[in-house]
Amino acid sequence: MNRRQFLYAGAAAAALLGRTRGARAAAYDLIIKGGRIIDSSTGFDAVGDVAIVRGVIAAVATDIQGDASETIDAHGRIVAPGLIDIHTHAGRSKEGPPMCLQDGVTCWIDAGSGGADNVDQVAAVARGAPQMGRILVNIARTGVIAPEGELHDINSANVALAQGAIARNRDVVVGVKARLSNNVAGANDLEALRRAQEAAAPFGLPVMIHVGQNYSPLRSILALLKRGDIVTHMYAPGMNGILDDKGVLIPEVMAARRRGVLFDFGNGVADHFDWDTVEKATRQGLWPDTFSTDWNTQSKTSGVVDLPNVMSKFIMYGMPLSQIIACATVNPARIFASFDDRGTLNIGAPADVAIMELREGSFEFLDNYKGVRTGKQRLFPAGTVLAGKRVAHA
Ligand SMILES: [Zn+2]
């Protein structure tokens, strides 16, 4: 037992004593037993148990004694903090959030489905979701228009209207989204981003930009980003991406990362990544800060499938499992204040837990151009605990 495990066990014993003095029959409400616990927020990675009392984590230790009202057998499974997906379109319909909850996603962000004209509906879905849902307001008043693109008329990027939408949904809005790819914004990309920053500034909110085949050079776009802003679809191939025409990472990308700009995977279905760009960029040291799916209710039947499948794409490239889990738990939790207490199995934290199975075999993974890579391991969702309660399998 190393020092960290010892500390966890000590806390477990303290929690147990606290419980047995009480009048309740069971010491714990729920114990998740015998899984490989990977909590990237502390570096904890060992086989053990997670005990939950009244919706919060009460103990994490190699063997927790004491009875529980309910036990989940997690032998042979991975037990991680509930997953956080920062780029989804789960807010488009009330069917979305319960679907991604099945995949282990206990916090999601709808990234710009709605703008000033229609974001109130997205906000209502977020408020009604079983798990924590948050939203980014699209700088275009219409929200996403696909495939035509919502920023070809720059007048759609109305700062005052966007600020009004943020103000009336302040409880669930965590940022502003601007889709800047050529098919969405054309030559309006830089001006749309300036307006997104202007809309976000009085609220101190980050801006997430969607890039890919941009009209303007990426260095000009990155120059308009501040610490805490996020670039999604980071591995988008084609013109004005992260690589120059010789396949070399442009220096402005790492410079942006050094000053606190974050890079998100953003799987999606069209034009957002290809294996060649992933391989060239990771060889030059550009790994994602966060994974996200760009999820919608059709994702099960696309190359997305679910967030654990998206995470598995990087197992194939040798990213350590603890780092992969960090990109879907503690890293996104650190970006958005709403998730401060999430992405961790710390004692006292809300008991959101993702149980996954790491299967060995031969698994095909898709990029957005029908490119296939075959990996030897894949994570599958195998259960979700939300606020201390087991989520029923749909
Ligand atoms: Zn999206």
Side-chain angles (χ1 to χ4, degrees), residues 87-89 92 110-113 144 177 179 208 210 232-233 266 268 272 293-295:
H87 181 170
T88 77
H89 296 279
R92 274 185 187 148
D110 183 286
S113 297
V144 169
K177 176 83 182 285
R179 302 205 307 150
M208 177 189 281
H210 144 147
T232 190
H233 310 313
H272 297 327
T293 53
D294 201 355
W295 191 93

Side-chain angles (χ1 to χ4, degrees), residues 86-338:
I86 67 165
H87 181 170
T88 77
H89 296 279
R92 274 185 187 148
S93 69
K94 66 178 183 352
E95 289 73 34
M99 285 175 71
C100 48
L101 186 60
Q102 293 283 322
D103 302 336
V105 174
T106 55
C107 299
W108 52 266
I109 292 177
D110 183 286
S113 297
D117 294 344
N118 50 10
V119 78
D120 295 356
Q121 289 132 257
V122 184
V125 172
R127 289 186 196 103
Q131 76 276 58
M132 191 185 271
R134 293 291 182 264
I135 61 179
L136 306 178
V137 173
N138 198 314
I139 189 58
R141 57 186 295 175
T142 56
V144 169
I145 297 179
E148 297 83 359
E150 62 269 21
L151 285 168
H152 295 298
D153 175 6
I154 192 63
N155 294 319
S156 183
N158 183 306
V159 172
L161 288 177
Q163 288 178 338
I166 297 168
R168 64 178 185 270
N169 295 292
R170 201 64 192 90
D171 56 327
V172 287
V173 172
V174 295
V176 175
K177 176 83 182 285
R179 302 205 307 150
L180 304 181
S181 50
N182 192 43
N183 60 335
V184 176
N188 292 328
D189 52 0
L190 296 176
E191 180 56 22
L193 177 50
R194 277 185 210 103
R195 294 186 189 189
Q197 293 290 12
E198 194 184 338
F203 302 94
L205 291 173
V207 171
M208 177 189 281
I209 61 167
H210 144 147
V211 297
Q213 308 86 38
N214 309 294
Y215 176 88
S216 300
L218 189 61
R219 70 177 66 85
S220 310
I221 293 172
L222 293 174
L224 297 175
L225 296 182
K226 63 186 184 294
R227 172 176 293 274
D229 287 344
I230 303 143
V231 179
T232 190
H233 310 313
M234 60 189 285
Y235 299 117
M239 69 172 186
N240 289 324
I242 57 173
L243 304 174
D244 68 17
D245 50 18
K246 293 189 184 67
V248 177
L249 197 58
I250 63 166
E252 289 84 357
V253 169
M254 287 307 196
R257 169 169 276 181
R258 287 193 294 276
R259 63 188 170 78
V261 172
L262 298 146
F263 289 86
D264 175 64
F265 180 59
N267 194 116
V269 291
D271 303 328
H272 297 327
F273 87 99
D274 69 347
W275 295 123
D276 186 52
T277 305
V278 171
E279 285 156 11
K280 285 186 172 128
T282 54
R283 271 202 296 272
Q284 295 170 74
L286 184 71
W287 296 88
D289 292 301
T290 52
F291 293 130
S292 68
T293 53
D294 201 355
W295 191 93
N296 61 55
T297 52
Q298 309 305 310
S299 289
K300 271 276 180 278
T301 55
S302 75
V304 171
V305 188
D306 52 38
L307 184 53
N309 182 61
V310 170
M311 295 158 72
S312 305
K313 295 179 180 184
F314 286 79
I315 301 178
M316 199 164 57
Y317 292 110
M319 195 173 186
L321 201 52
S322 61
Q323 200 180 324
I324 284 172
I325 288 174
C327 287
T329 57
V330 66
N331 291 2
R334 282 178 183 146
I335 301 173
F336 294 96
S338 291

Side-chain angles (χ1 to χ4, degrees), residues 11-23 27-28 54:
L16 185 58
L17 283 172
R19 297 303 311 164
T20 48
R21 274 190 226 108
Y28 301 111
R54 283 195 288 272

